[in-house]
Amino acid sequence: MFEPHVNRVFQNRFSTQYRCYSVSMLAGPNDRSDVEKGGKIIMPPSALDQLSRLNITYPMLFKLTNKNSDRMTHCGVLEFVADEGICYLPHWMMQNLLLEEGGLVQVESVNLMVATYSKFQPQSPDFLDITNPKAVLENALRNFACLTTGDVIAINYNEKIYELRVMETKPDKAVSIIECDMNVDFDAPLGYKEPERHMQHPEEPTEEETDPSNYEMDLGFRAFTGSGNRLDGKKKGIEPSPAPLDPSDIKRGIPNYDFKIGRITFIRNSRQQPRKIETDDTASNFIAFSGEGQSLRKKGRKP
């Protein structure tokens, strides 16, 4: 009783073998570099005729298998314009399948679940130079139909090819990314090393014990310290007698030889504030217009 159902499932499944070639081998005057920028293949017209007879779901998704190396991936279809018995694949897809030009590949129609999450690992630290990698990846994935865990996809940005490995996909290892809301995450690029952070410790000044006698005292200009000359030419009694050094003449930075242990002297360059003049108590009790006036003309007494 189960045989009709099994036969119907088998009849609705597309499965055939093709010889695969890279897109550069596609004959025609038109440049088909757009195929290299996505995850879709070009199949012969007979495949479209056979698929239209089957009750398959859309969009058309296929599973590609290399039986010699037991490698598989998933893809969509772009056009049905290839020669009979031949299909054209992007170069990165042939590398994942370990296929050479003219190798046999098994093509089967499949139904995949819609993606909700995917994680990628750039294969070069150069991917970090992109300002907004998520926006670049989102724009590049518009040319893809599905993703398979373990594949290394290639995207083209600013005339440079960036390779990314699909590390994880949810809810399955192979998912469809057509009209889906998918969260994208990135792993650290292959060969990336985080810059080492050196903690800079403030250097504490070391106090070296020095002998004060080794300091050279910079006295600068001092008045009336020169030597004199006598009119008779004698040099007796003309040697200058150095004036005693006042501590206020010592410039800043010259050690104070009058230093005493246990005493700290703070030298400041602030100006001395003028002293307040003490006022008498009578001045504080000053009342305006309370004095007595004097007149130059004496007033006479009236009889």
Side-chain angles (χ1 to χ4, degrees):
M1 60 180 295
F2 295 101
E3 290 182 358
H5 176 71
V6 173
N7 292 335
R8 185 171 66 254
V9 174
F10 180 78
Q11 292 176 359
N12 292 340
R13 180 181 177 184
F14 174 84
S15 178
T16 185
Q17 277 191 345
Y18 293 109
R19 292 198 175 274
C20 62
Y21 293 92
S22 59
V23 182
S24 59
M25 303 292 292
L26 181 61
N30 298 329
D31 183 18
R32 300 311 307 267
S33 59
D34 56 334
V35 184
E36 292 286 355
K37 299 178 181 179
K40 299 179 182 180
I41 65 175
I42 297 179
M43 299 174 65
S46 60
L48 177 60
D49 182 48
Q50 187 177 355
L51 288 167
S52 60
R53 298 174 185 273
L54 300 175
N55 187 18
I56 62 173
T57 57
Y58 291 87
M60 298 181 185
L61 302 177
F62 301 92
K63 176 183 177 181
L64 306 182
T65 307
N66 182 5
K67 295 183 177 180
N68 295 331
S69 60
D70 198 19
R71 299 289 292 270
M72 68 91 179
T73 187
H74 297 79
C75 66
V77 59
L78 185 63
E79 293 179 356
F80 295 92
V81 295
D83 297 335
E84 293 298 330
I86 296 176
C87 68
Y88 295 96
L89 278 66
H91 181 66
W92 65 266
M93 193 176 295
M94 295 186 66
Q95 288 183 332
N96 289 332
L97 296 174
L98 302 179
L99 286 171
E100 297 181 353
E101 300 289 343
L104 291 175
V105 60
Q106 184 74 23
V107 181
E108 303 175 7
S109 60
V110 292
N111 296 328
L112 299 178
M113 301 178 66
V114 179
T116 58
Y117 173 82
S118 61
K119 187 176 183 180
F120 299 87
Q121 182 189 32
Q123 300 299 290
S124 173
D126 297 340
F127 189 75
L128 299 176
D129 298 336
I130 301 177
T131 305
N132 193 348
K134 284 191 176 182
V136 173
L137 181 62
E138 180 182 355
N139 187 35
L141 290 180
R142 295 176 181 176
N143 299 322
F144 289 74
C146 47
L147 294 173
T148 306
T149 303
D151 280 359
V152 179
I153 65 174
I155 61 175
N156 190 349
Y157 178 70
N158 282 347
E159 299 181 357
K160 188 175 182 179
I161 303 298
Y162 296 94
E163 293 183 345
L164 296 92
R165 181 179 295 276
V166 183
M167 303 297 294
E168 184 181 0
T169 56
K170 292 180 182 180
D172 202 355
K173 292 185 177 181
V175 291
S176 172
I177 60 172
I178 299 177
E179 296 181 358
C180 70
D181 186 9
M182 179 178 63
N183 295 325
V184 178
D185 195 7
F186 290 97
D187 203 352
L190 191 65
Y192 171 74
K193 295 182 180 179
E194 294 186 1
E196 298 179 357
R197 298 180 180 179
H198 299 282
M199 298 298 294
Q200 296 182 356
H201 299 282
E203 298 181 356
E204 297 181 357
T206 57
E207 296 182 358
E208 299 180 356
E209 296 182 359
T210 56
D211 187 5
S213 61
N214 296 330
Y215 287 110
E216 294 183 358
M217 191 174 299
D218 184 13
L219 301 178
F221 172 76
R222 298 183 66 188
F224 308 107
T225 57
S227 60
N229 296 318
R230 293 181 55 163
L231 297 177
D232 55 3
K234 295 180 180 181
K235 296 183 179 181
K236 183 178 180 181
I238 62 174
E239 294 180 359
S241 56
L245 182 64
D246 189 71
S248 61
D249 294 338
I250 301 177
K251 293 185 177 180
R252 187 176 182 181
I254 300 176
N256 185 8
Y257 298 111
D258 296 334
F259 172 75
K260 294 182 180 180
I261 299 176
R263 182 179 179 184
I264 301 176
T265 303
F266 296 96
I267 301 175
R268 295 182 176 89
N269 293 331
S270 59
R271 297 180 179 178
Q272 296 182 356
Q273 297 180 358
R275 297 180 181 178
K276 295 182 180 179
I277 302 174
E278 297 180 357
T279 58
D280 298 336
D281 296 339
T282 57
S284 60
N285 298 327
F286 171 76
I287 301 176
F289 306 106
S290 61
E292 296 179 357
Q294 299 291 335
S295 175
L296 296 178
R297 184 177 61 183
K298 295 183 179 181
K299 297 181 179 180
R301 296 181 180 179
K302 294 182 180 181

